Amino acid sequence: MSTAMPFAADGTLLSEVTAAVETAGVTLRDRYTSHARGVSLDEVVGEIRANDDAVLDVLREPLLRSRPGSQWAEDELAGGALPPGEWWVVDPAEGNINHVHGMEDWAVTATLVRDNLPVLTVVHLPLTGDTYTAVAGGGARLNDRPLKVSAKTDLGAALTGTGQAKPGEDERTFRRIGDSVTAMLINGLVVRVSVPATMQLIHVAAGRMDAFWQFSDVRSGLVAGALLVSEAGGTVTDLAGEPWSTAGRDFLAAAPGIHTSALKVLAPIA
């Protein structure tokens, strides 16, 4: 899916990005409460935006400085292809809706995308202190441990997952999500439906889950996990079976042994 980074300082860049993301994670952790914040829609949205702003204040400049000439993808809910070159695709609070509701599934993510393929990523979970990293061609790691996807070959034994990419998507997308969950419940073992995507994709990369799919192209929720899964030995495509990039309209990341079976179930719905 991805191409190796053509410069010698991969390790230096990864260290700089990891430090920046982990520092930003302290900011997000300090804003966390174990109770929900906000009652009305306006209050909830206000809390979400405040989280984003606080993290970006400490994350944006270090990332841009670490890779001279790189650009910043401003809209974290945007999808589709980016212009040529290197772009930082960042979610300052991946799983922000969980954070403001007092739940624990959230992270800070930063991914360098070159010509629409992710080439370096850091996903930090501030509550546990865990950090997932990957560099194209260099493997994926959880802290200091290499990651490897599941060895399963039977979809009937698979734990799979999907979820809503963002609020307010069109009714057709919501119906496809429902239809796909039904189809995978029939053909798989168990289906998780939750947000955010990255928190499921790190489980696929670590071999704890066997596949994740999505019918939306919101790139900030997919680029980090796509690289982690790919570098952990997984297969990452669109639902037509073609190699995935940020230009893709849909997404499937799976253990190689069940990817074809999952694709057969999901492709007719896509």
Side-chain angles (χ1 to χ4, degrees), residues 36-51 96-101 167:
R37 306 190 305 279
V39 176
S40 70
L41 177 60
D42 286 346
E43 290 170 341
V44 171
V45 170
E47 292 285 350
I48 287 172
R49 288 176 176 168
N51 281 346
N96 211 340
I97 192 70
N98 296 340
H99 186 286
V100 303
H101 282 86

Side-chain angles (χ1 to χ4, degrees), residues 40-92:
S40 70
L41 177 60
D42 286 346
E43 290 170 341
V44 171
V45 170
E47 292 285 350
I48 287 172
R49 288 176 176 168
N51 281 346
D52 284 345
D53 291 345
V55 174
L56 289 175
D57 279 348
V58 298
L59 183 57
R60 178 173 179 144
E61 289 306 318
L63 291 182
L64 289 171
R65 188 170 59 246
S66 72
R67 189 67 173 151
S70 60
Q71 302 175 79
W72 192 270
E74 292 288 348
D75 185 355
E76 70 181 68
L77 294 179
L82 289 160
E86 292 188 338
W87 293 80
W88 288 108
V89 177
V90 171
D91 198 320

Side-chain angles (χ1 to χ4, degrees), residues 94 123 132 140 147-149 161-162 192 194-214 218-230 232 234-237 244 251-255:
E94 169 72 329
V123 176
Y132 294 77
L147 294 175
K148 186 175 178 59
V149 296
T162 189
R192 297 183 68 193
S194 64
V195 294
T198 302
M199 299 302 288
Q200 295 199 63
L201 284 164
I202 61 175
H203 291 313
V204 177
R208 306 181 197 110
M209 287 179 59
D210 305 299
F212 173 85
W213 73 93
Q214 189 168 282
V218 176
R219 54 181 172 253
S220 67
L222 298 176
V223 289
L227 185 58
L228 284 163
V229 171
S230 178
T235 304
V236 183
T237 68
W244 181 83
F251 179 90
L252 172 63

Side-chain angles (χ1 to χ4, degrees), residues 9-263:
D10 291 2
T12 300
L13 179 60
L14 183 61
S15 295
E16 291 179 7
V17 175
T18 300
V21 172
E22 291 180 347
T23 297
V26 174
T27 297
L28 191 59
R29 185 190 64 205
D30 289 347
R31 297 182 58 80
Y32 175 70
T33 62
S34 58
H35 61 270
R37 306 190 305 279
V39 176
S40 70
L41 177 60
D42 286 346
E43 290 170 341
V44 171
V45 170
E47 292 285 350
I48 287 172
R49 288 176 176 168
N51 281 346
D52 284 345
D53 291 345
V55 174
L56 289 175
D57 279 348
V58 298
L59 183 57
R60 178 173 179 144
E61 289 306 318
L63 291 182
L64 289 171
R65 188 170 59 246
S66 72
R67 189 67 173 151
S70 60
Q71 302 175 79
W72 192 270
E74 292 288 348
D75 185 355
E76 70 181 68
L77 294 179
L82 289 160
E86 292 188 338
W87 293 80
W88 288 108
V89 177
V90 171
D91 198 320
E94 169 72 329
N96 211 340
I97 192 70
N98 296 340
H99 186 286
V100 303
H101 282 86
M103 299 178 186
E104 297 182 355
D105 282 359
W106 46 271
V108 180
T109 78
T111 304
L112 185 65
V113 174
R114 178 186 300 119
D115 297 333
N116 288 299
L117 293 174
V119 294
L120 179 148
T121 195
V122 176
V123 176
H124 178 58
L125 282 57
L127 288 183
T128 65
D130 287 332
T131 301
Y132 294 77
T133 60
V135 175
R141 305 183 75 83
L142 165 56
N143 303 324
D144 293 324
R145 179 173 63 84
L147 294 175
K148 186 175 178 59
V149 296
S150 164
K152 286 182 184 173
T153 58
D154 178 9
L155 184 61
L159 170 57
T160 65
T162 189
Q164 179 180 349
K166 62 180 178 180
E169 294 195 83
D170 60 272
E171 183 178 346
R172 182 168 177 263
T173 297
F174 291 147
R175 291 191 181 278
R176 284 191 295 177
I177 293 171
D179 290 345
S180 69
V181 169
T182 299
M184 198 60 80
L185 285 168
I186 293 169
N187 289 276
L189 180 63
V190 173
V191 179
R192 297 183 68 193
V193 182
S194 64
V195 294
T198 302
M199 299 302 288
Q200 295 199 63
L201 284 164
I202 61 175
H203 291 313
V204 177
R208 306 181 197 110
M209 287 179 59
D210 305 299
F212 173 85
W213 73 93
Q214 189 168 282
F215 290 107
S216 177
D217 63 351
V218 176
R219 54 181 172 253
S220 67
L222 298 176
V223 289
L227 185 58
L228 284 163
V229 171
S230 178
E231 288 297 320
T235 304
V236 183
T237 68
D238 62 21
L239 290 175
E242 297 298 322
W244 181 83
S245 76
T246 58
R249 293 182 300 173
D250 42 41
F251 179 90
L252 172 63
I258 67 157
H259 180 269
T260 299
S261 298
L263 196 61

